[in-house]
Amino acid sequence: MGAEKLLVIVVSAIFINNIILSRFLGICPYIGVSKKLGSAIGMGFAVIFVLTIASSVTYLIYVLFLYPSTNNFWYWITGKMYDLTYLRTITFILVIASLVQLVEMVVQKISPPLYKALGIYLPLITTNCAVLGISVLNIEENYNFIESTIHGFAVGIGFTLVLILMAGLREKLDLMDLPKPFEGPAIAFILAGLMSIAFLGFAGLKF
Amino acid sequence: MDIMFIIVSVITAGALGFIFGGGLAYAAKVFSVEKNPKIEEVAEVLPNANCGACGYAGCNAYAEAVVEYDENITLCIPGGKEVADKIAQILGKKAGETVAKVAYLKCKGTHALAKDKAIYNGINDCKAAVLVAGGNKVCEYGCLGLGTCEKVCPFDAIHIGEEGLPVVDDEKCTGCGVCVEACPKNVLDLMPKDNKVYLACSSQDKGKTVKDYCKVGCISCTLCVKKCPVGAISMKGNLPVIDFEKCTNCGVCVHICPTKSYIDKIRNRSKFFIDTKCTGCTKCISVCPVKAISGNEGEKHTIDPNKCIGCGLCVPACPEGAIKIMGALGYGQKVE
């Protein structure tokens, strides 16, 4: 059951419920950083990195501090349950933002080459709605810790896949003779719509 | 509503914020990477256009190279002397001279003037077009006009004009040379901003071939080399080359060129006239390249305004300072 469920989570996160093309989260980097293949790959890996860490840490924070259960921090201390789930959004934003900052610092210190590859993209992800969205989704779907982490990772893969596909298409698109009003982001949005329709085909996948 | 609930919420949110904030502050100290503070100072002075004219990936990379690896501080072309001076101040070095440059097109062959060998329907980009039998112009040296330079220009200074050739906006051009690098035909080059006259042809073909291909191509007649009053033009292969340091922008080459291959950026050059101080020494007559000055020895000379090309060569030749420009000095000509 365990491994099977994880597979379902991975496949659905990458293809069926792709973060960009079905959930429409993270559109900003999708249009903004998809101009060149090189930077798309960099951004993609930075997102995988942050999503994986953010989904595990936000899950822990949620279970330990916010969700009323016997595992809750406040239950240990006061013996009472407090439902702090309404603080979810604000805590998650706080956690994600400071986490990304921390990761950036650590990477810069420990691995300069990795920092050079991901560095400029990391701060961009701090406020990426996809990261917050996935953290919230993990809670909504009642995933456990491992499932949350895997889900975050798989969503990152899905994001990277679509971002790279888009960058490849847009590099070709740049050389096309387009009518003036369609140049730049305009045609990119049309392209994004078409890709979204194409990915809709995966909705037919059944397990 | 339990008062404890409110307290617990406040403590949870507050403590998390405090822990993360404090943690970040602590991490910033623990994981701080020591950097020379001068790098940031230099980076602030640079234009931050990240054009890459210096040969580095961006302004920050250049700043690092300048501070850490003793790189030449005059490499920033868009910033010019001003930026070099500021960097020099920060580092306590002396700045050399940086000459402000602009890009120019070494081709005049619009589709009306230069023959096409085929109709090109491929990707709208010079680099792609070159792959197909070297582009659609018969002249293998000519500008294709598909606008690769326009796309790469970081300063929006080069645009494909109405005649299908790129036009450089001298005001916006910073001489970073990105377009020169990008041009697959090598018809773009940089020249000092103060220079106003250049040869707009890069064909190394023989005169007869050029004549067949293009109406405004240089046919290597060498007339300009012979007529240049300061000897700034010399032949290199089948093409005359202007030494921009020697050139005085007199425009004689522009006037003399039988194929009109030269371009003069000064439009409507002013004419000259001789005032009453003239003693009739005839020195100006021998200097004038177009024989616009007439008059016998001892009499006041006159300049034929129809013949005068406004080169200004006669001005320094006159011992009395009797030759003046008609109207105001409205262009950057070097007239002493």
Side-chain angles (χ1 to χ4, degrees), chain B residues 117-171:
Chain B
K117 67 179 159 199
I119 296 168
Y120 176 70
N121 259 336
I123 296 170
N124 203 6
D125 187 88
C126 303
K127 281 180 174 169
V130 162
L131 298 176
V132 190
N136 58 338
K137 275 208 175 133
V138 179
C139 171
E140 65 171 300
Y141 302 94
C143 171
L144 301 176
L146 295 175
T148 297
C149 45
E150 184 180 7
K151 280 173 211 152
V152 297
C153 178
F155 299 99
D156 191 38
I158 192 163
H159 292 284
I160 299 298
E162 278 172 21
E163 292 179 316
L165 289 183
V167 179
V168 180
D169 183 342
D170 281 4
E171 291 296 313

Short mmCIF file of all heavy atoms in Angstrom, two decimals, chain B residues 117-171:
data_model
loop_
_atom_site.label_atom_id
_atom_site.label_comp_id
_atom_site.label_asym_id
_atom_site.label_seq_id
_atom_site.Cartn_x
_atom_site.Cartn_y
_atom_site.Cartn_z
N LYS B 117 20.18 37.11 -54.24
CA LYS B 117 20.33 35.93 -55.10
C LYS B 117 19.15 34.99 -54.97
O LYS B 117 18.95 34.12 -55.78
CB LYS B 117 21.65 35.22 -54.82
CG LYS B 117 21.82 34.57 -53.48
CD LYS B 117 23.19 33.89 -53.43
CE LYS B 117 23.62 33.67 -51.99
NZ LYS B 117 25.04 33.46 -51.86
N ALA B 118 18.38 35.15 -53.90
CA ALA B 118 17.22 34.27 -53.71
C ALA B 118 16.26 34.95 -52.75
O ALA B 118 16.62 35.93 -52.09
CB ALA B 118 17.66 32.94 -53.14
N ILE B 119 15.06 34.44 -52.69
CA ILE B 119 14.12 34.93 -51.69
C ILE B 119 14.26 34.04 -50.46
O ILE B 119 14.14 32.81 -50.56
CB ILE B 119 12.68 34.88 -52.22
CG1 ILE B 119 12.54 35.82 -53.41
CG2 ILE B 119 11.69 35.26 -51.12
CD1 ILE B 119 11.26 35.65 -54.18
N TYR B 120 14.55 34.66 -49.33
CA TYR B 120 14.76 33.89 -48.10
C TYR B 120 13.47 33.85 -47.29
O TYR B 120 12.89 34.88 -46.98
CB TYR B 120 15.88 34.52 -47.28
CG TYR B 120 16.11 33.85 -45.95
CD1 TYR B 120 16.65 32.57 -45.87
CD2 TYR B 120 15.77 34.49 -44.77
CE1 TYR B 120 16.85 31.95 -44.67
CE2 TYR B 120 15.96 33.87 -43.54
CZ TYR B 120 16.51 32.61 -43.50
OH TYR B 120 16.70 32.00 -42.30
N ASN B 121 13.02 32.64 -46.99
CA ASN B 121 11.75 32.49 -46.27
C ASN B 121 11.91 31.80 -44.93
O ASN B 121 10.95 31.39 -44.32
CB ASN B 121 10.77 31.67 -47.12
CG ASN B 121 9.79 32.57 -47.81
OD1 ASN B 121 9.56 33.69 -47.35
ND2 ASN B 121 9.23 32.12 -48.91
N GLY B 122 13.16 31.65 -44.50
CA GLY B 122 13.40 30.86 -43.29
C GLY B 122 13.22 31.67 -42.03
O GLY B 122 12.52 32.69 -42.00
N ILE B 123 13.89 31.21 -40.97
CA ILE B 123 13.82 31.88 -39.67
C ILE B 123 14.33 33.30 -39.80
O ILE B 123 15.34 33.55 -40.44
CB ILE B 123 14.65 31.08 -38.65
CG1 ILE B 123 14.05 29.71 -38.45
CG2 ILE B 123 14.73 31.81 -37.32
CD1 ILE B 123 14.91 28.77 -37.67
N ASN B 124 13.63 34.22 -39.20
CA ASN B 124 13.92 35.64 -39.36
C ASN B 124 15.11 36.05 -38.50
O ASN B 124 14.95 36.77 -37.52
CB ASN B 124 12.67 36.43 -38.98
CG ASN B 124 12.69 37.79 -39.62
OD1 ASN B 124 13.56 38.10 -40.42
ND2 ASN B 124 11.73 38.61 -39.26
N ASP B 125 16.28 35.60 -38.88
CA ASP B 125 17.45 35.86 -38.06
C ASP B 125 18.69 35.70 -38.93
O ASP B 125 18.79 34.74 -39.69
CB ASP B 125 17.47 34.85 -36.91
CG ASP B 125 18.57 35.16 -35.92
OD1 ASP B 125 18.30 35.93 -35.00
OD2 ASP B 125 19.69 34.61 -36.08
N CYS B 126 19.61 36.66 -38.84
CA CYS B 126 20.78 36.62 -39.73
C CYS B 126 21.59 35.34 -39.56
O CYS B 126 22.08 34.76 -40.52
CB CYS B 126 21.69 37.81 -39.47
SG CYS B 126 20.89 39.40 -39.63
N LYS B 127 21.73 34.91 -38.29
CA LYS B 127 22.57 33.75 -38.03
C LYS B 127 22.00 32.51 -38.71
O LYS B 127 22.74 31.65 -39.18
CB LYS B 127 22.69 33.51 -36.52
CG LYS B 127 23.67 34.45 -35.89
CD LYS B 127 23.77 34.21 -34.41
CE LYS B 127 24.88 35.07 -33.83
NZ LYS B 127 24.89 35.09 -32.38
N ALA B 128 20.66 32.40 -38.74
CA ALA B 128 20.03 31.27 -39.41
C ALA B 128 20.17 31.41 -40.91
O ALA B 128 20.43 30.45 -41.62
CB ALA B 128 18.56 31.20 -39.00
N ALA B 129 20.02 32.65 -41.41
CA ALA B 129 20.05 32.88 -42.85
C ALA B 129 21.43 32.58 -43.43
O ALA B 129 21.56 32.10 -44.55
CB ALA B 129 19.64 34.31 -43.15
N VAL B 130 22.46 32.87 -42.63
CA VAL B 130 23.83 32.64 -43.10
C VAL B 130 24.07 31.16 -43.37
O VAL B 130 24.81 30.79 -44.29
CB VAL B 130 24.83 33.19 -42.05
CG1 VAL B 130 26.20 32.61 -42.26
CG2 VAL B 130 24.89 34.69 -42.14
N LEU B 131 23.39 30.31 -42.61
CA LEU B 131 23.57 28.88 -42.78
C LEU B 131 23.07 28.40 -44.14
O LEU B 131 23.52 27.40 -44.67
CB LEU B 131 22.84 28.11 -41.67
CG LEU B 131 23.33 28.39 -40.25
CD1 LEU B 131 22.47 27.65 -39.25
CD2 LEU B 131 24.78 27.96 -40.10
N VAL B 132 22.12 29.13 -44.71
CA VAL B 132 21.58 28.74 -46.01
C VAL B 132 22.38 29.46 -47.08
O VAL B 132 22.09 30.58 -47.46
CB VAL B 132 20.10 29.13 -46.13
CG1 VAL B 132 19.50 28.52 -47.37
CG2 VAL B 132 19.33 28.70 -44.90
N ALA B 133 23.44 28.84 -47.57
CA ALA B 133 24.26 29.38 -48.64
C ALA B 133 24.71 30.81 -48.36
O ALA B 133 24.77 31.65 -49.25
CB ALA B 133 23.50 29.31 -49.98
N GLY B 134 24.99 31.11 -47.13
CA GLY B 134 25.59 32.41 -46.79
C GLY B 134 24.66 33.60 -46.89
O GLY B 134 25.12 34.72 -47.00
N GLY B 135 23.37 33.36 -46.86
CA GLY B 135 22.44 34.49 -46.88
C GLY B 135 21.91 34.76 -48.27
O GLY B 135 22.36 34.18 -49.25
N ASN B 136 20.94 35.67 -48.34
CA ASN B 136 20.23 35.86 -49.61
C ASN B 136 20.79 36.97 -50.48
O ASN B 136 20.21 37.30 -51.50
CB ASN B 136 18.75 36.11 -49.33
CG ASN B 136 18.53 37.31 -48.45
OD1 ASN B 136 19.43 37.72 -47.72
ND2 ASN B 136 17.37 37.91 -48.54
N LYS B 137 21.91 37.58 -50.06
CA LYS B 137 22.49 38.62 -50.92
C LYS B 137 23.56 38.03 -51.82
O LYS B 137 24.29 37.12 -51.41
CB LYS B 137 23.08 39.72 -50.06
CG LYS B 137 22.04 40.74 -49.64
CD LYS B 137 22.64 42.10 -49.41
CE LYS B 137 21.53 43.07 -49.12
NZ LYS B 137 21.81 43.89 -47.96
N VAL B 138 23.65 38.56 -53.02
CA VAL B 138 24.69 38.07 -53.93
C VAL B 138 26.06 38.41 -53.34
O VAL B 138 26.98 37.61 -53.36
CB VAL B 138 24.52 38.70 -55.33
CG1 VAL B 138 25.62 38.21 -56.24
CG2 VAL B 138 23.16 38.35 -55.90
N CYS B 139 26.19 39.63 -52.81
CA CYS B 139 27.44 40.03 -52.18
C CYS B 139 27.62 39.27 -50.87
O CYS B 139 26.78 39.35 -49.98
CB CYS B 139 27.42 41.53 -51.90
SG CYS B 139 28.80 42.08 -50.90
N GLU B 140 28.69 38.52 -50.80
CA GLU B 140 28.84 37.67 -49.62
C GLU B 140 29.27 38.46 -48.39
O GLU B 140 29.31 37.93 -47.29
CB GLU B 140 29.80 36.51 -49.88
CG GLU B 140 31.22 36.95 -50.14
CD GLU B 140 32.19 35.78 -50.18
OE1 GLU B 140 32.28 35.09 -49.17
OE2 GLU B 140 32.83 35.58 -51.24
N TYR B 141 29.61 39.74 -48.57
CA TYR B 141 30.04 40.54 -47.43
C TYR B 141 28.91 41.42 -46.88
O TYR B 141 29.04 42.05 -45.87
CB TYR B 141 31.21 41.44 -47.82
CG TYR B 141 32.39 40.67 -48.36
CD1 TYR B 141 32.56 40.46 -49.72
CD2 TYR B 141 33.31 40.11 -47.48
CE1 TYR B 141 33.64 39.73 -50.21
CE2 TYR B 141 34.39 39.38 -47.95
CZ TYR B 141 34.55 39.20 -49.32
OH TYR B 141 35.60 38.47 -49.79
N GLY B 142 27.80 41.46 -47.62
CA GLY B 142 26.77 42.45 -47.31
C GLY B 142 25.90 42.13 -46.10
O GLY B 142 25.80 40.99 -45.66
N CYS B 143 25.28 43.17 -45.58
CA CYS B 143 24.38 43.04 -44.43
C CYS B 143 23.08 42.40 -44.88
O CYS B 143 22.50 42.78 -45.90
CB CYS B 143 24.10 44.42 -43.84
SG CYS B 143 22.81 44.42 -42.59
N LEU B 144 22.62 41.40 -44.15
CA LEU B 144 21.39 40.70 -44.52
C LEU B 144 20.15 41.45 -44.02
O LEU B 144 19.05 41.25 -44.52
CB LEU B 144 21.39 39.28 -43.94
CG LEU B 144 22.55 38.41 -44.39
CD1 LEU B 144 22.49 37.07 -43.68
CD2 LEU B 144 22.51 38.20 -45.89
N GLY B 145 20.32 42.26 -43.01
CA GLY B 145 19.22 43.10 -42.53
C GLY B 145 18.09 42.35 -41.85
O GLY B 145 16.95 42.81 -41.83
N LEU B 146 18.36 41.17 -41.30
CA LEU B 146 17.29 40.43 -40.62
C LEU B 146 17.23 40.75 -39.12
O LEU B 146 16.39 40.24 -38.39
CB LEU B 146 17.46 38.93 -40.83
CG LEU B 146 17.32 38.49 -42.29
CD1 LEU B 146 17.61 37.01 -42.44
CD2 LEU B 146 15.93 38.79 -42.81
N GLY B 147 18.15 41.59 -38.66
CA GLY B 147 17.98 42.17 -37.34
C GLY B 147 18.48 41.37 -36.16
O GLY B 147 17.97 41.52 -35.06
N THR B 148 19.51 40.54 -36.36
CA THR B 148 20.10 39.88 -35.18
C THR B 148 20.68 40.94 -34.24
O THR B 148 20.54 40.84 -33.02
CB THR B 148 21.20 38.91 -35.63
OG1 THR B 148 20.61 37.90 -36.42
CG2 THR B 148 21.88 38.26 -34.44
N CYS B 149 21.28 41.97 -34.82
CA CYS B 149 21.87 43.04 -34.00
C CYS B 149 20.79 43.76 -33.21
O CYS B 149 20.97 44.12 -32.05
CB CYS B 149 22.63 44.02 -34.88
SG CYS B 149 21.75 44.52 -36.38
N GLU B 150 19.64 43.97 -33.84
CA GLU B 150 18.54 44.66 -33.16
C GLU B 150 18.09 43.87 -31.93
O GLU B 150 17.80 44.43 -30.88
CB GLU B 150 17.37 44.83 -34.14
CG GLU B 150 16.20 45.62 -33.57
CD GLU B 150 15.07 45.76 -34.56
OE1 GLU B 150 15.11 45.13 -35.64
OE2 GLU B 150 14.13 46.51 -34.27
N LYS B 151 18.07 42.53 -32.09
CA LYS B 151 17.59 41.69 -30.98
C LYS B 151 18.58 41.66 -29.83
O LYS B 151 18.18 41.59 -28.67
CB LYS B 151 17.35 40.27 -31.48
CG LYS B 151 16.03 40.13 -32.21
CD LYS B 151 15.90 38.75 -32.84
CE LYS B 151 15.08 38.82 -34.10
NZ LYS B 151 15.43 37.80 -35.07
N VAL B 152 19.88 41.67 -30.14
CA VAL B 152 20.85 41.51 -29.06
C VAL B 152 21.20 42.82 -28.37
O VAL B 152 21.72 42.81 -27.26
CB VAL B 152 22.16 40.83 -29.54
CG1 VAL B 152 21.88 39.44 -30.04
CG2 VAL B 152 22.86 41.66 -30.58
N CYS B 153 20.90 43.95 -28.98
CA CYS B 153 21.33 45.23 -28.41
C CYS B 153 20.71 45.44 -27.03
O CYS B 153 19.49 45.46 -26.90
CB CYS B 153 20.95 46.39 -29.31
SG CYS B 153 21.43 47.99 -28.59
N PRO B 154 21.54 45.55 -25.98
CA PRO B 154 20.98 45.72 -24.63
C PRO B 154 20.49 47.13 -24.37
O PRO B 154 19.86 47.39 -23.35
CB PRO B 154 22.15 45.37 -23.71
CG PRO B 154 23.37 45.54 -24.52
CD PRO B 154 23.01 45.45 -25.96
N PHE B 155 20.76 48.06 -25.28
CA PHE B 155 20.42 49.46 -25.03
C PHE B 155 19.37 49.99 -26.01
O PHE B 155 19.14 51.19 -26.06
CB PHE B 155 21.68 50.33 -25.10
CG PHE B 155 22.70 49.94 -24.08
CD1 PHE B 155 23.78 49.14 -24.42
CD2 PHE B 155 22.57 50.35 -22.77
CE1 PHE B 155 24.71 48.76 -23.47
CE2 PHE B 155 23.50 49.98 -21.82
CZ PHE B 155 24.56 49.20 -22.17
N ASP B 156 18.77 49.11 -26.80
CA ASP B 156 17.72 49.53 -27.73
C ASP B 156 18.25 50.60 -28.68
O ASP B 156 17.56 51.55 -29.01
CB ASP B 156 16.51 50.06 -26.93
CG ASP B 156 15.30 50.25 -27.83
OD1 ASP B 156 15.12 49.42 -28.72
OD2 ASP B 156 14.56 51.24 -27.65
N ALA B 157 19.52 50.46 -29.09
CA ALA B 157 20.16 51.53 -29.86
C ALA B 157 20.26 51.20 -31.34
O ALA B 157 20.68 52.04 -32.12
CB ALA B 157 21.55 51.81 -29.30
N ILE B 158 19.88 50.01 -31.73
CA ILE B 158 20.03 49.65 -33.15
C ILE B 158 18.70 49.07 -33.65
O ILE B 158 18.09 48.24 -32.99
CB ILE B 158 21.23 48.68 -33.33
CG1 ILE B 158 21.61 48.51 -34.79
CG2 ILE B 158 20.98 47.34 -32.69
CD1 ILE B 158 22.99 47.94 -34.98
N HIS B 159 18.23 49.61 -34.75
CA HIS B 159 16.95 49.17 -35.28
C HIS B 159 17.05 49.01 -36.79
O HIS B 159 17.81 49.73 -37.44
CB HIS B 159 15.85 50.19 -34.95
CG HIS B 159 15.54 50.23 -33.49
ND1 HIS B 159 14.81 49.26 -32.87
CD2 HIS B 159 15.89 51.11 -32.53
CE1 HIS B 159 14.70 49.54 -31.60
NE2 HIS B 159 15.36 50.66 -31.35
N ILE B 160 16.26 48.07 -37.32
CA ILE B 160 16.22 47.93 -38.76
C ILE B 160 15.42 49.10 -39.34
O ILE B 160 14.27 49.32 -38.98
CB ILE B 160 15.56 46.59 -39.15
CG1 ILE B 160 16.37 45.41 -38.59
CG2 ILE B 160 15.45 46.47 -40.65
CD1 ILE B 160 17.78 45.30 -39.12
N GLY B 161 16.08 49.87 -40.19
CA GLY B 161 15.44 51.05 -40.75
C GLY B 161 14.48 50.72 -41.86
O GLY B 161 14.25 49.55 -42.20
N GLU B 162 13.93 51.77 -42.45
CA GLU B 162 12.92 51.57 -43.50
C GLU B 162 13.48 50.85 -44.72
O GLU B 162 12.77 50.16 -45.42
CB GLU B 162 12.37 52.94 -43.93
CG GLU B 162 11.31 53.46 -42.99
CD GLU B 162 10.92 54.88 -43.32
OE1 GLU B 162 11.17 55.32 -44.46
OE2 GLU B 162 10.38 55.55 -42.43
N GLU B 163 14.77 51.04 -44.95
CA GLU B 163 15.35 50.43 -46.15
C GLU B 163 15.86 49.02 -45.90
O GLU B 163 16.48 48.42 -46.75
CB GLU B 163 16.47 51.32 -46.67
CG GLU B 163 15.93 52.64 -47.21
CD GLU B 163 17.03 53.52 -47.71
OE1 GLU B 163 18.06 53.63 -47.02
OE2 GLU B 163 16.87 54.11 -48.79
N GLY B 164 15.62 48.49 -44.72
CA GLY B 164 15.99 47.11 -44.45
C GLY B 164 17.40 46.92 -43.95
O GLY B 164 17.90 45.80 -43.92
N LEU B 165 18.07 48.01 -43.58
CA LEU B 165 19.40 47.89 -42.99
C LEU B 165 19.36 48.46 -41.58
O LEU B 165 18.59 49.38 -41.31
CB LEU B 165 20.43 48.67 -43.82
CG LEU B 165 20.79 48.08 -45.19
CD1 LEU B 165 21.87 48.92 -45.84
CD2 LEU B 165 21.26 46.65 -45.08
N PRO B 166 20.18 47.90 -40.68
CA PRO B 166 20.17 48.43 -39.31
C PRO B 166 20.70 49.87 -39.24
O PRO B 166 21.63 50.22 -39.96
CB PRO B 166 21.09 47.47 -38.55
CG PRO B 166 21.88 46.78 -39.59
CD PRO B 166 21.07 46.75 -40.84
N VAL B 167 20.04 50.66 -38.40
CA VAL B 167 20.46 52.04 -38.18
C VAL B 167 20.83 52.17 -36.71
O VAL B 167 20.08 51.79 -35.84
CB VAL B 167 19.31 53.01 -38.52
CG1 VAL B 167 19.75 54.44 -38.27
CG2 VAL B 167 18.87 52.83 -39.96
N VAL B 168 22.03 52.71 -36.47
CA VAL B 168 22.49 52.87 -35.10
C VAL B 168 22.08 54.24 -34.58
O VAL B 168 22.25 55.24 -35.26
CB VAL B 168 24.03 52.73 -35.02
CG1 VAL B 168 24.50 52.90 -33.59
CG2 VAL B 168 24.47 51.39 -35.57
N ASP B 169 21.50 54.24 -33.39
CA ASP B 169 21.16 55.50 -32.74
C ASP B 169 22.37 55.91 -31.88
O ASP B 169 22.62 55.33 -30.83
CB ASP B 169 19.92 55.28 -31.85
CG ASP B 169 19.48 56.57 -31.19
OD1 ASP B 169 20.29 57.51 -31.14
OD2 ASP B 169 18.33 56.63 -30.73
N ASP B 170 23.12 56.88 -32.38
CA ASP B 170 24.38 57.26 -31.71
C ASP B 170 24.16 57.74 -30.29
O ASP B 170 25.02 57.62 -29.44
CB ASP B 170 25.09 58.36 -32.51
CG ASP B 170 25.82 57.76 -33.70
OD1 ASP B 170 25.69 56.55 -33.89
OD2 ASP B 170 26.51 58.50 -34.41
N GLU B 171 22.97 58.32 -30.04
CA GLU B 171 22.70 58.81 -28.68
C GLU B 171 22.60 57.66 -27.70
O GLU B 171 23.09 57.72 -26.58
CB GLU B 171 21.38 59.60 -28.67
CG GLU B 171 21.44 60.91 -29.42
CD GLU B 171 22.40 61.89 -28.77
OE1 GLU B 171 22.34 62.05 -27.54
OE2 GLU B 171 23.25 62.46 -29.50
#
